[in-house]
Amino acid sequence: MGNLLKVLTCTDLEQEPNFFLDFENAQPTEAEQEVWEQVDVVLKDAMGILDELQAYKGAGQEIREAIQNPNDEALQEQAWAAVVPLVGKLKKFYEFSQRLEAALHGLLGALTSETYSDPTQHLEREQALAKQFAEILHFTLRFDELKMTNPAIQNDFSYYRRTLSRMWINNVQADNENEVNNELANRISLFYADATPMLKTLSDGTTKFVSENKNLPIENTTECLSTMASVCKVMLETPEYRSRFTSEATVSFCLRVMVGVIILYDYVHPVGAFAKSSKIDMKGCIKVLKDQPPNSVEGLLNALRYTTKHLNDDSTNKTIKSMLQ
């Protein structure tokens, strides 16, 4: 089947469907082309967004000096001049999250449609779309890792909002007040207030997709996610498959994608990823993570610990909880 090798398919709930999916070279078929092109336009901007976020230094020094010297107009102006372009970047990141959610809806629509009888066939025959779905998840977790280690983002935006409010009260015209109006500022503030804002966008977007497409069984979506998790797990834990990667970066890619689909599954499935009835082998997935060099996966383990919905449910297996402690 082209670059996708079916290793095992089994309907027994005790076993998972396992695949080798070529995340490095999958190309769209004619049937995939339209959706693929729409998503590709968004993904082309993803690396630039990560580069900008990684280079984001913040205006901490200017803000501190302005707060410590409230009567020094020159310092107030310097802080404002430093923060305004940064807020422009934060707005750009937020707007990209909206584009990413729309792209996700397009992919889910294709990968869960009735074109094929089950998620296995979708991933087998629409591997270029599966690769794009994986790229969205990879971007999402990388974005959130960078955001979580950069407190300047929320500090800068908080200062911007406070200063804008003061200017409004004092009837001072802000040069860029149309850049981020109050309604948009509220939405951006809520976005960055979340520990993992991009993941929350995808989780909410997936839940919204399910609720808006009541004609599609929820299993179409959850089984697409669980199958993708199995694909990643088997490639990572099997030396024969792992050796097919031409780049070590693909290992990191697979780890992020595996964690991303687990979290989405946990939000969308009624009982979540950690329940006994889950179609994801959580013990196996956690073991794969823990088999990697510790420094490379701590952020991903934290994502499972702190951004999933059902981990702390009473129904979660005690072994799984202890594995994540």
Side-chain angles (χ1 to χ4, degrees):
M1 286 289 181
N3 290 323
L4 184 61
L5 172 67
K6 185 187 291 188
V7 180
L8 173 69
T9 305
C10 184
T11 54
D12 188 340
L13 291 181
E14 295 302 310
Q15 293 182 282
E16 302 170 304
N18 295 333
F19 294 86
F20 184 85
L21 171 58
D22 190 346
F23 281 140
E24 295 177 335
N25 303 304
Q27 295 298 315
T29 61
E30 188 177 342
E32 296 170 271
Q33 194 71 35
E34 184 179 351
V35 172
W36 186 90
E37 286 177 359
Q38 291 168 0
V39 176
D40 188 55
V41 170
V42 178
L43 286 173
K44 277 178 177 171
D45 293 334
M47 190 53 69
I49 293 287
L50 290 179
D51 288 343
E52 283 191 60
L53 179 56
Q54 191 150 18
Y56 190 100
K57 299 301 180 194
Q61 185 176 339
E62 293 91 339
I63 291 171
R64 275 192 302 276
E65 289 178 357
I67 290 172
Q68 288 165 5
N69 302 278
N71 296 320
D72 189 324
E73 281 304 314
L75 289 177
Q76 307 308 311
E77 287 174 11
Q78 282 176 25
W80 182 249
V83 164
V84 165
L86 293 173
V87 167
K89 287 188 177 185
L90 297 180
K91 177 191 175 194
K92 178 182 176 181
F93 300 161
Y94 167 74
E95 288 173 341
F96 185 77
S97 77
Q98 306 306 293
R99 294 175 60 203
L100 202 69
E101 182 180 352
L104 175 73
H105 275 225
L107 283 174
L108 287 175
L111 292 171
T112 63
S113 71
E114 302 294 344
T115 309
Y116 301 113
S117 62
D118 59 52
T120 295
Q121 289 186 343
H122 273 291
L123 294 178
E124 190 170 11
R125 299 177 190 182
E126 297 174 325
Q127 53 192 285
L129 298 185
K131 178 174 180 280
Q132 285 186 319
F133 184 32
E135 286 169 346
I136 286 178
L137 290 161
H138 179 263
F139 164 84
T140 295
L141 269 70
R142 184 67 187 128
F143 181 97
D144 288 346
E145 283 172 7
L146 291 170
K147 183 266 178 186
M148 278 194 285
T149 56
N150 196 338
I153 289 173
Q154 281 179 273
N155 293 340
D156 290 349
F157 199 73
S158 295
Y159 178 80
Y160 174 83
R161 294 197 74 190
R162 288 197 308 272
T163 306
L164 205 58
S165 296
R166 262 199 321 273
M167 294 168 87
W168 181 74
I169 291 167
N170 295 327
N171 204 25
V172 175
Q173 187 74 15
D175 293 337
N176 76 317
E177 71 172 349
N178 292 326
E179 177 81 16
V180 179
N181 61 38
N182 198 46
E183 183 192 347
L184 180 57
N186 285 336
R187 282 188 272 130
I188 293 175
S189 185
L190 282 172
F191 176 74
Y192 288 111
D194 198 276
T196 52
M198 210 60 81
L199 197 53
K200 181 169 176 18
T201 297
L202 287 203
S203 296
D204 290 350
T206 306
T207 303
K208 185 178 173 186
F209 172 82
V210 170
S211 65
E212 286 179 352
N213 292 273
K214 298 189 188 302
N215 57 317
L216 284 176
I218 189 172
E219 290 77 19
N220 285 29
T221 302
T222 56
E223 288 182 17
C224 173
L225 300 177
S226 62
T227 303
M228 183 75 87
S230 299
V231 167
C232 294
K233 183 177 81 74
V234 87
M235 288 197 291
L236 289 161
E237 69 187 0
T238 310
E240 180 191 343
Y241 305 146
R242 190 160 168 160
S243 68
R244 296 180 190 181
F245 301 153
T246 60
S247 166
E248 195 59 29
T250 309
V251 174
S252 150
F253 181 90
C254 283
L255 289 165
R256 279 201 178 91
V257 173
M258 181 179 74
V259 170
V261 289
I262 287 169
I263 295 169
L264 287 185
Y265 183 98
D266 196 48
Y267 270 83
V268 176
H269 195 282
V271 296
F274 302 96
K276 191 175 181 181
S277 59
S278 167
K279 290 199 173 183
I280 296 177
D281 172 16
M282 285 305 307
K283 291 178 188 175
C285 289
I286 295 167
K287 183 180 182 302
V288 164
L289 284 167
K290 294 205 163 187
D291 285 344
Q292 312 306 313
N295 292 343
S296 68
V297 294
E298 193 56 32
L300 298 178
L301 287 167
N302 283 339
L304 289 178
R305 289 176 184 126
Y306 306 123
T307 66
T308 46
K309 186 177 180 181
H310 294 284
L311 174 61
N312 294 315
D313 288 3
D314 292 339
S315 58
T316 298
N317 184 294
K318 287 186 174 64
T319 307
I320 292 175
K321 285 184 179 177
S322 67
M323 287 176 81
L324 284 173
Q325 282 176 352

